[in-house]
Every structure is written in C-alpha cells, then in structure tokens.
Amino acid sequence: MAILYVVATPIGNLKDITLRALEVLKEVDFILAEDTRETLKLLNFYTVKTPVISYFQHSSLKKIDHILGLLEQGKNLALVSDAGTPGINDPGGKLIEEVVKKFGDSVWVVPVPGPNAAITALSICGFNTDRFLFLGYPPHKKGRKKFFTEISQSKYPVVFYESVHRILKTLNELNQFENLKDRQTVVARELTKKFETIYRGTISEILPQIEKQKLGEFAVVIKDGK
Ligand code: SAM
C-alpha cells in the first residue's frame, strides 16, 4: 500500500527537524515540495538525495493526476512545504483531499509532526494558551475589519501570521480598536533564526521597535480581553 507522508520541516533553524522526518525524506520515492529551491537547502544540508517534484496550492489538475498516478503505482511520497507543517497556511490540503477521495483507505496518509510558527509563538507568549484562536493571515481587503473585530472580541489569545510588508499597517490598524489599546501582545520575528526577536508589550510600545524592520517573518499573539 502506497504512503503519502505529510512531513513538517524547520521554520528557520535547519536543526529543527525530527530524526523520523529525515528518515522518511531519505526513504520515500519522491518528495513533493512547494518551492524546490527552498527544500533543496534542507535536503543538501542533510545529504538527502531523493528526487523532488514541485507541488503548490494552484498546481494544475495534470500535476495532481501525475502525483495520484505515482501513488497508484505504489510509490511512497513525502509532502513538505517551504517551512513548518504542510497544510497550515500552506499547500497540502487540496492534495490530501484528492488522495483521500480517490484512494480511501488504500493509501495511507501519515503525519510526521514537527515545527509550526503559530505554535512556536504561542509556546513563548506567556499567556494562558489552554485555548487559543488561530486566524492565519489578515485578509488584505474584504473581511479585514471583521478579522480585527474578531481579535478584539476573542475570549482566547489570538495568534496570526503577517508579512514584513504589512506588519506595521496591521498593528496600526489593530491599535485603533479601543479595547485592544492596552492588550498585552507578543510579536515574534524570525523565530528559531539568527535574528530571532520577541517584542512584548502593548501594540503602541511594540510599534516603534519594529518600525525599522525591513526583513523577517512575523507571528503575532494578542492576549484575550478577559
Ligand atoms: N506552514 C507554516 C507553519 O507551519 O508555520 C506556515 C506557513 S505561512 C505560508 C508562512 C508564515 O508563517 C510567514 O509569513 C510568517 O507569518 C509565519 N512564519 C513562518 N516562519 C516564521 C518564523 N521563523 N518566525 C515567525 N513567523 C514565521
């Protein structure tokens, strides 16, 4: 029976990979990668020589059929994304859906867990995270205000992702909400990387500190309003 492994990879520090993930990446017939150049950095670091096939969210039906065909031939595959856990704001969901639809129980979909930026940010936020709300990226236009309102009204800490191009805009907009002004916030920049920085405080305290940042990836945690 063919296997599709869904393999988490590092969110920055190449050493954050499990022994099992490396074993799987070495043993499968093909690795399905979002950006082959990004994945090759990891594979070269660990001398993994498995052939890589590109797969992304909007891959053509032809590409998906090709991948399904490989499983049909009994090939074992490992799905990875550029960073972290595939399927969490990353390609993967659609492929897994197609695999389950076509093969049911006759292909195993096996998780190989590991890093995730949202969980990593939550782990160091210092708020009670027994329950939390994960919202992915703020929408750029439609639904943006609703997204922020949901944060301001959440009974649980909220974690979301933001790019370096939009982090200031997003924090400034959040700061317009009266009930978010004094809310403790953690902005986690470049987690696990050389320039990892954790900013803590209210949004107004954090904003001037990140104004000059031109690079980096961000995960933001905002404490609940209780
Ligand atoms: N699947 C990934 C995961 O499991 O975390 C998330 C993929 S999503 C396309 C990428 C976003 O995650 C980035 O834009 C950033 O907001 C966040 N992110 C990824 N790596 C990060 C890091 N090292 N530090 C902070 N945020 C990070």
Side-chain angles (χ1 to χ4, degrees), residues 11 83-85 88-90 116-117 137 161-162 190-191 217-218:
I11 57 167
T85 303
I88 309 299
N89 272 94
D90 264 339
N116 164 261
Y137 287 100
Y161 291 154
E162 192 49 286
E190 294 286 84
L191 287 162
E217 299 196 276
F218 294 84

Side-chain angles (χ1 to χ4, degrees), residues 2-9 17 20-34 39 42-43 48 50-55 67 70-71 75-81 86 91-92 95-96 107-112:
I3 306 177
L4 173 65
Y5 294 97
V6 180
V7 182
T9 56
I17 186 153
R20 183 167 165 239
L22 285 176
E23 201 175 85
V24 165
L25 292 176
K26 282 182 181 162
E27 284 177 2
V28 289
D29 296 298
F30 296 98
I31 295 170
L32 310 176
E34 190 182 355
T39 298
L42 176 76
L43 300 184
V48 176
T50 310
V52 180
I53 299 176
S54 88
Y55 171 76
I67 294 169
L70 290 171
L71 290 167
K75 304 283 187 213
N76 293 332
L77 311 179
L79 172 69
V80 300
S81 61
L95 178 66
I96 295 166
V107 165
W108 278 343
V109 179
V110 176
V112 181

Side-chain angles (χ1 to χ4, degrees), residues 88-161:
I88 309 299
N89 272 94
D90 264 339
K94 189 169 148 213
L95 178 66
I96 295 166
E97 190 185 341
E98 293 297 327
V99 168
V100 172
K101 209 161 45 178
K102 184 168 168 93
F103 300 106
D105 289 342
S106 54
V107 165
W108 278 343
V109 179
V110 176
V112 181
N116 164 261
I119 299 294
T120 307
L122 285 166
S123 76
I124 50 87
C125 73
F127 313 143
N128 183 332
T129 51
D130 290 351
R131 293 175 179 206
F132 62 84
L133 180 63
F134 171 59
L135 291 179
Y137 287 100
H140 288 190
K141 292 199 176 94
K142 196 166 173 273
R144 193 165 166 85
K145 187 150 183 237
K146 192 166 162 238
F147 182 98
F148 293 146
T149 306
E150 194 168 0
I151 294 178
S152 74
Q153 294 174 347
S154 176
K155 285 196 272 176
Y156 313 116
V158 181
V159 59
F160 66 91
Y161 291 154

Side-chain angles (χ1 to χ4, degrees), residues 55-89:
Y55 171 76
F56 41 91
Q57 197 68 40
H58 301 290
S59 277
S60 62
L61 284 177
K62 203 169 143 210
K63 176 55 83 60
I64 294 182
D65 274 349
H66 173 63
I67 294 169
L68 297 178
L70 290 171
L71 290 167
E72 214 155 24
Q73 292 163 34
K75 304 283 187 213
N76 293 332
L77 311 179
L79 172 69
V80 300
S81 61
D82 284 356
T85 303
I88 309 299
N89 272 94

